[in-house]
Amino acid sequence: MSSVLVVDAANVVGARPDGWWKDRAGAARRLHEQLLTADVPGDELVLVLEGAAKGGVKAGRDAHVRTVHAPKDGDATILAEARRAAEKGRSVTVVTADRALAANVTGAGARVVGPSWLLDRLSAG
């Protein structure tokens, strides 16, 4: 079974107090670059960007990373991506610490891991 890792970029970036709030687009670009070379499970990584972060990475596919620009809030887009993948029979993991979002994606058939799970794998790579 193929697998999808859906990344709540705002939540992951926000977990690191590295000044991301001064340059949201730059923080999104750095996360995207790290995901391109990260050793993380998933046949496809979906990076969901919202707000100013969308200026850092264009929407579309880059190798195994697909960047999605949320039209409004990222949570609705993350849920839609997780639901779509689960309905296709794919194994779905969502990276977020947002409790409400975690409950919603779990209800859609996804597994949830926190930002530290991903950040640990990014720093190891």
Side-chain angles (χ1 to χ4, degrees):
M1 172 186 331
S2 68
S3 59
V4 179
L5 183 69
V6 181
V7 179
D8 179 351
N11 206 260
V12 172
V13 167
R16 288 191 279 203
D18 62 0
W20 60 265
W21 52 89
K22 297 177 204 165
D23 181 11
R24 292 172 195 263
R29 187 172 43 258
R30 288 188 298 278
L31 177 58
H32 178 262
E33 289 167 359
Q34 289 178 303
L35 288 172
L36 287 171
T37 59
D39 184 18
V40 294
D43 300 310
E44 179 183 29
L45 276 63
V46 179
L47 178 64
V48 178
L49 301 177
E50 60 184 87
K54 294 188 287 190
V57 184
K58 68 180 192 257
R61 182 173 298 283
D62 190 1
H64 64 290
V65 177
R66 182 168 53 90
T67 302
V68 176
H69 288 178
K72 293 183 181 176
D73 68 292
D75 289 6
T77 301
I78 292 163
L79 177 58
E81 289 291 330
R83 185 174 284 139
R84 188 175 304 115
E87 287 171 353
K88 290 180 179 175
R90 300 177 82 186
S91 170
V92 183
T93 301
V94 174
V95 182
T96 189
D98 181 308
R99 288 183 184 174
L101 176 59
N104 287 333
V105 298
T106 300
R111 173 178 167 249
V112 176
V113 295
S116 61
W117 176 90
L118 180 60
L119 293 171
D120 288 348
R121 282 154 182 78
L122 296 179
S123 62

